[in-house]
């Protein structure tokens, strides 16, 4: 699937919920389903700066696709990174760099987060794009 198709799917899923309490519960469920990151990747080098809680993100290139793994010590934050990984993992670096991020606004995520969590979301996206930039430069 393309990034746009995945993002559209995420928007559709969020539109099924009537209120933000249900959406928060869904985000938490997504966090619980996030595959475990290899403990070796839980290093200071992989911590995302700017997040209130600890978030580890690791990107590796596999057959011209970037595969992301992540974890967080906060369950809501883990759900947020799970949404981003779903949208951007197993995609080409150039596609990640060119991706439109409107789906975040469409689901209302940024506006329903505390200011510190919203800053963390921006930092997560920035790190995903930085991995894409680094891998794109190698190709």
């Amino acid at each position: 699937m393309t990034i746009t198709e995945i993002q559209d799917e995420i928007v559709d899923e969020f539109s099924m919920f009537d209120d933000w309490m249900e959406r928060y519960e869904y985000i938490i469920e997504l966090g619980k389903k996030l595959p475990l990151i290899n403990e070796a990747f839980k290093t200071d080098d992989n911590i995302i700066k700017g997040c209130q809680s600890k978030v580890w993100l690791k990107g590796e290139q596999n057959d011209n696709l970037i595969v992301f793994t992540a974890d967080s010590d906060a369950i809501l934050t883990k759900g947020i990174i799970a949404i981003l990984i779903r949208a951007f993992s197993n995609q080409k670096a150039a596609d990640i760099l060119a991706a439109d991020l409107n789906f975040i606004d469409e689901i209302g995520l940024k506006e329903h987060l505390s200011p510190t969590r919203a800053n963390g979301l921006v930092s997560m996206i920035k790190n995903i794009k930085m991995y894409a930039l680094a891998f794109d430069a190698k190709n």
Side-chain angles (χ1 to χ4, degrees), residues 87-99:
F88 299 113
S89 194
N90 293 302
Q91 301 291 335
K92 293 180 182 172
D95 294 339
I96 294 169
L97 292 170

Side-chain angles (χ1 to χ4, degrees), residues 1 49 51 56 61 68 70 82 88 96 114 117 121 125:
M1 289 179 81
K49 309 287 187 273
C51 287
W56 297 271
Q61 198 163 23
F68 291 103
F88 299 113
I96 294 169
S114 67
R117 282 222 166 86
L121 171 64
I125 293 166

Side-chain angles (χ1 to χ4, degrees), residues 112-132:
H112 286 90
L113 294 175
S114 67
T116 52
R117 282 222 166 86
N119 288 340
L121 171 64
V122 171
S123 295
M124 291 178 212
I125 293 166
K126 181 179 166 190
N127 276 331
I128 287 169
K129 295 267 186 179
M130 286 174 59
Y131 269 110

Side-chain angles (χ1 to χ4, degrees), residues 34-53:
L34 185 66
L36 293 176
I37 191 171
N38 183 327
E39 286 295 318
F41 295 151
K42 284 189 171 184
T43 64
D44 287 346
D45 290 342
N46 293 328
I47 286 184
I48 296 177
K49 309 287 187 273
C51 287
Q52 179 180 0
S53 48

Side-chain angles (χ1 to χ4, degrees), residues 76-92:
L76 184 66
T77 306
K78 192 171 181 174
I80 294 167
I81 195 69
I83 292 168
L84 296 175
I85 285 178
R86 180 173 163 197
F88 299 113
S89 194
N90 293 302
Q91 301 291 335
K92 293 180 182 172

